[in-house]
């Protein structure tokens, strides 16, 4: 199963980073290949923990796919996870971890483990894996700059 982890240091505090990463309904606003995302079944799963379903439509290089994940946003742990409910994957798990760094900055880590059912899509994804993860992180950084023009702790 392909797995990728990347960490980026950003000049924004953990509360800002968590707010951005956990705001999945707005992902289509700044991640170009997410063309639609519907959030449903939102519920509190504990103190500072929210759980929901995210149904996404993704378009990339002529392919369009729809999938659903269960998203858990754990503010005390500064972690957002997404696990497969249904879609074109055999397996899918993504995890964002936010840790406080120096001078009010944060380290934002993204880990993705996935396996597509379709071997052609799997081949295309493998060929574009590093580029896709870099673009996701770049999109989040650009959105953070837009939302939080002045870094805060």
């Amino acid at each position: 199963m392909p797995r990728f982890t990347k960490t980026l240091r950003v000049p924004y505090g953990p509360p800002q980073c968590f707010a951005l990463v956990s705001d999945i309904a707005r992902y289509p606003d700044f991640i170009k290949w997410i063309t639609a995302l519907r959030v449903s079944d939102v519920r509190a799963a504990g103190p500072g923990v929210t759980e929901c379903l995210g149904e996404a439509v993704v378009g990339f290089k002529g392919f369009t796919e729809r999938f659903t994940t269960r998203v858990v946003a754990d503010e005390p742990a500064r972690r957002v996870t997404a696990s497969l409910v249904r879609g074109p994957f055999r397996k899918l798990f993504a995890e964002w971890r936010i840790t406080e760094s120096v001078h009010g900055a944060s380290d934002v880590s993204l880990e993705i483990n996935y396996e597509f059912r379709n071997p052609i899509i799997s081949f295309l994804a493998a060929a574009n894996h590093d580029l896709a993860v870099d673009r996701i992180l770049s999109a989040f950084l650009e959105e953070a700059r837009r939302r939080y023009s002045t870094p805060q702790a």
Side-chain angles (χ1 to χ4, degrees), residues 32-145:
K32 292 181 182 183
W33 58 79
I34 298 178
T35 58
L37 199 146
R38 185 172 72 91
V39 176
S40 63
D41 297 333
V42 179
R43 67 177 189 86
V49 180
T50 304
E51 189 174 305
C52 68
L53 292 179
E55 299 174 61
V57 178
V58 177
F60 187 73
K61 295 202 177 215
F63 287 94
T64 300
E65 292 290 347
R66 180 180 302 270
F67 63 94
T68 302
T69 57
R70 177 161 312 286
V71 179
V72 178
D74 185 337
E75 190 169 12
R78 297 180 182 148
R79 186 174 61 178
V80 177
T81 60
S83 53
L84 181 65
V85 173
R86 66 182 157 274
F89 300 93
R90 244 187 217 108
K91 298 175 184 170
L92 173 65
F93 180 79
E95 180 177 57
W96 292 90
R97 288 182 309 274
I98 300 156
T99 55
E100 192 165 2
S101 184
V102 295
H103 307 296
S106 298
D107 289 333
V108 178
S109 297
L110 173 60
E111 178 179 329
I112 302 174
N113 297 313
Y114 67 94
E115 184 179 347
F116 282 98
R117 286 189 177 110
N118 182 318
I120 294 170
I121 294 174
S122 187
F123 176 77
L124 289 172
N128 292 288
H129 183 80
D130 291 342
L131 177 64
V133 172
D134 285 344
R135 285 192 177 166
I136 290 169
L137 287 169
S138 293
F140 275 90
L141 182 56
E142 188 58 37
E143 180 65 8
R145 287 180 183 135

